[in-house]
Amino acid sequence: MPFTIAIIGRPNVGKSTLFNRLVGQKLALVDDMPGVTRDRREGEAKLFDLHFTIIDTAGLDEGPKGSLTARMQEQTETAIALADALFFVIDARIGLTPADRAFADFARRADKPVLLLANKSEGKHGELGAMESYALGLGDPIQISAEHGEGMGELYDAVSKLVPPTDDEDDEREETDEERAARPIRVAIVGRPNAGKSTLINHLLGEERLLTSPEAGTTRDSIAVEIEWKGRGFRIFDTAGLRRRSRIEEKLEKLSVADALRAVRFAEVVVLMMDAQNRFEEQDLRIADLIEREGRALVIAVNKWDLMEAKPGQISMLRRDADHWLPQVAGAPIVAVSGLMGEGIDRLMQAIVEAYAVWNRRVPTAALNRWFEGAIADNPPPAVSGRRLKLNYITQTKARPPSFVLFCSRADAIPQSYLRYLTNSMRATFELPGTPVRITLREKANPFAHKRKRPN
């Protein structure tokens, strides 16, 4: 198990900025408003030749038992328990506060190596605040600026005494086919606010890993968790609820939505979660259309099914509704679940595995062109401006999602309605339900175009 370091400290001292600096990506949301981070987030950190796991945590704060603040504190305590060492971060520009002193005692009680980081130390005001931090009794402060990358050399010297250096040769080795097949499937859970995304993931994990609340907008960052189901690995991303753009006013929500959209782009399968009592609303359809345009495999999960009155034929009605409202992903798997009660979880996971397999499917060229000839014979392309359109042949260029190139004459004249006909026929013939299908038109080169007409 890799060496793990948790970043702790009061709110708004720059913990998430330091996390982003160490992982080399803007994974954690950063804003001037305190308390942006709520769930703990893990990442693979690299500090020169040192490699370790880093955990970003919510700011240490006190709140009444059972409140959201108290449960954020519990997430931080869990991160401390999992860590091998701690980064205790203070704001050097502000200097020590009573909260810093209280939480320094908390860090000491963890009985783990603690590195005191005086963040925002650029300038003379930062120097004075760093000197104050000696009073915490946590050793010499390491003056850094996470935002500007200052002090990373001093941080390396301190961390290297805790973390053994790793060999970079392993990082440069190419991934084998077996390793690629063993990689976890990347799954993003998306939907409108308060659809039950975090509750579902907590049930999959069997623990309260993610904060949940009846209040919409509890989740802010896109948090990744690893699970295993029937011997198969999954990396599941919990995301912030997606509202209509016109309703998003706060800067923080805009950052959360951007983070959720980034999770969709990096996912392989996206689970669109809907509320069973308010399903297929306009925002649900917009999200599904976004997933299709990004070329991701789609699975629809209708959550809170335990609240619905039991009636015969309800699942069949869901199927008809999905095909009616989402014709662009006809046949997408739809599963009724209850994240709170754990109903339908196995069916949902099986649907994810099957959608992933379809998304990776390749169709043999011979079978593809036999279908193509039959499809054209059954429904020839229309003549445009009195001229016949000639479709020559089709081939698959890649999977993930299945993408095809159709060689033809006058590519710009082929109607979209005819391409939809080919797409739907292909879905039915080669069993490609729900996954996006891409058909690119390419005009076949004229072998005589380069020859000049001979003079008379």
Side-chain angles (χ1 to χ4, degrees):
M1 186 175 178
F3 195 88
T4 301
I5 299 176
I7 307 175
I8 65 172
R10 62 179 178 79
N12 216 29
V13 294
K15 299 185 296 299
S16 295
T17 304
L18 176 61
F19 175 88
N20 288 340
R21 168 73 58 181
L22 292 173
V23 300
Q25 302 178 61
K26 290 185 178 181
L27 294 181
L29 296 185
V30 177
D31 192 73
D32 292 336
M33 185 179 75
V36 172
T37 302
R38 288 178 170 176
D39 293 289
R40 67 182 190 270
R41 178 196 281 270
E42 296 183 13
E44 297 306 313
K46 182 178 180 182
L47 186 60
F48 303 107
D49 63 338
L50 300 178
H51 295 257
F52 52 94
T53 297
I54 193 77
I55 306 178
D56 185 24
T57 67
L60 291 165
D61 209 346
E62 296 178 346
K65 188 174 182 180
S67 66
L68 182 61
T69 301
R71 286 185 291 137
M72 288 164 60
Q73 175 84 347
E74 290 170 5
Q75 289 283 329
T76 300
E77 291 173 1
T78 301
I80 292 172
L82 293 172
D84 299 300
L86 306 176
F87 285 166
F88 185 82
V89 184
I90 67 165
D91 186 334
R93 288 185 302 191
I94 293 177
L96 288 189
T97 68
D100 289 321
R101 298 176 188 276
F103 295 131
D105 293 336
F106 181 81
R108 271 193 293 271
R109 289 197 298 271
D111 196 26
K112 294 184 177 181
V114 179
L115 296 182
L116 175 60
L117 308 186
N119 192 28
K120 309 179 187 180
S121 286
E122 63 275 18
K124 64 179 182 179
H125 294 296
E127 181 78 23
L128 293 174
M131 293 303 103
E132 283 185 30
S133 64
Y134 278 101
L136 295 176
L138 294 175
D140 295 341
I142 303 169
Q143 298 182 47
I144 67 169
S145 172
E147 184 174 1
H148 299 100
E150 297 178 9
M152 293 298 111
E154 291 77 4
L155 182 60
Y156 169 83
D157 292 338
V159 175
S160 61
K161 298 174 183 177
L162 304 174
V163 183
T166 53
D167 191 351
D168 286 335
E169 289 183 5
D170 289 339
D171 297 333
E172 297 173 2
R173 182 176 56 84
E174 290 189 8
E175 187 180 43
T176 65
D177 291 339
E178 291 78 8
E179 289 171 335
R180 195 175 295 112
R183 281 188 309 188
I185 300 173
R186 297 193 301 274
V187 182
I189 311 289
V190 302
R192 290 182 285 120
N194 227 19
K197 301 179 289 295
S198 300
T199 302
L200 173 71
I201 297 174
N202 282 341
H203 193 92
L204 286 169
L205 290 169
E207 61 171 304
E208 291 295 317
R209 170 64 179 83
L210 303 170
L211 293 176
T212 59
S213 170
E215 175 191 350
T218 301
T219 301
R220 289 173 173 170
D221 287 285
S222 294
I223 304 297
V225 297
E226 304 274 353
I227 71 164
E228 187 174 299
W229 180 80
K230 294 188 176 180
R232 187 68 191 260
F234 297 83
R235 185 170 176 82
I236 299 184
F237 293 82
D238 183 29
T239 64
L242 299 174
R243 296 197 297 166
R244 287 207 308 267
R245 185 178 299 178
S246 60
R247 293 188 175 182
I248 300 174
E249 298 178 355
E250 294 183 4
K251 175 188 172 185
L252 181 56
E253 186 174 0
K254 290 179 182 178
L255 293 172
S256 298
V257 168
D259 204 31
L261 297 179
R262 186 162 53 246
V264 170
R265 295 185 185 104
F266 282 97
E268 295 165 319
V269 181
V270 180
V271 176
L272 171 56
M273 183 163 284
M274 303 180 187
D275 189 318
Q277 296 172 312
N278 301 286
R279 55 185 184 267
F280 295 108
E281 293 196 350
E282 181 184 358
Q283 183 65 358
D284 296 324
L285 306 184
R286 289 177 182 271
I287 296 171
D289 190 57
L290 166 71
I291 295 166
E292 192 277 336
R293 283 187 279 111
E294 290 293 340
R296 304 298 167 226
L298 171 65
V299 175
I300 302 170
V302 181
N303 193 28
K304 306 180 184 179
W305 196 250
D306 54 308
L307 302 179
M308 299 294 292
E309 183 182 352
K311 294 180 181 178
Q314 282 187 312
I315 300 299
S316 300
M317 187 183 298
L318 282 180
R319 176 77 274 157
R320 289 194 299 271
D321 288 346
D323 289 342
H324 170 73
W325 291 108
L326 300 170
Q328 71 272 40
V329 284
I334 183 165
V335 185
V337 300
S338 170
L340 184 63
M341 307 303 293
E343 298 172 3
I345 300 297
D346 281 343
R347 291 194 300 273
L348 176 62
M349 298 305 295
Q350 185 61 39
I352 291 172
V353 172
E354 292 172 358
Y356 179 75
V358 172
W359 191 63
N360 282 275
R361 185 165 296 164
R362 283 191 171 273
V363 180
T365 302
L368 189 61
N369 280 285
R370 281 197 299 271
W371 158 80
F372 187 55
E373 291 171 4
I376 293 175
D378 292 341
N379 183 11
V384 178
S385 301
R387 296 172 58 190
R388 186 169 66 91
L389 297 173
K390 187 174 182 181
L391 308 185
N392 300 103
Y393 65 94
I394 190 169
T395 185
Q396 184 172 3
T397 54
K398 70 180 189 72
R400 306 167 63 91
S403 301
F404 305 85
V405 172
L406 171 58
F407 291 87
C408 59
S409 65
R410 302 172 62 206
D412 57 341
I414 295 179
Q416 286 297 315
S417 58
Y418 195 76
L419 288 179
R420 284 196 297 271
Y421 156 71
L422 292 177
T423 299
N424 291 333
S425 176
M426 188 186 299
R427 284 189 195 279
T429 303
F430 299 112
E431 297 181 349
L432 298 171
T435 196
V437 173
R438 302 284 189 256
I439 298 180
T440 303
L441 301 176
R442 188 174 298 170
E443 294 187 11
K444 194 173 181 181
N446 184 350
F448 303 104
H450 67 286
K451 294 186 178 180
R452 294 182 178 179
K453 188 179 288 187
R454 292 180 179 179
N456 294 331

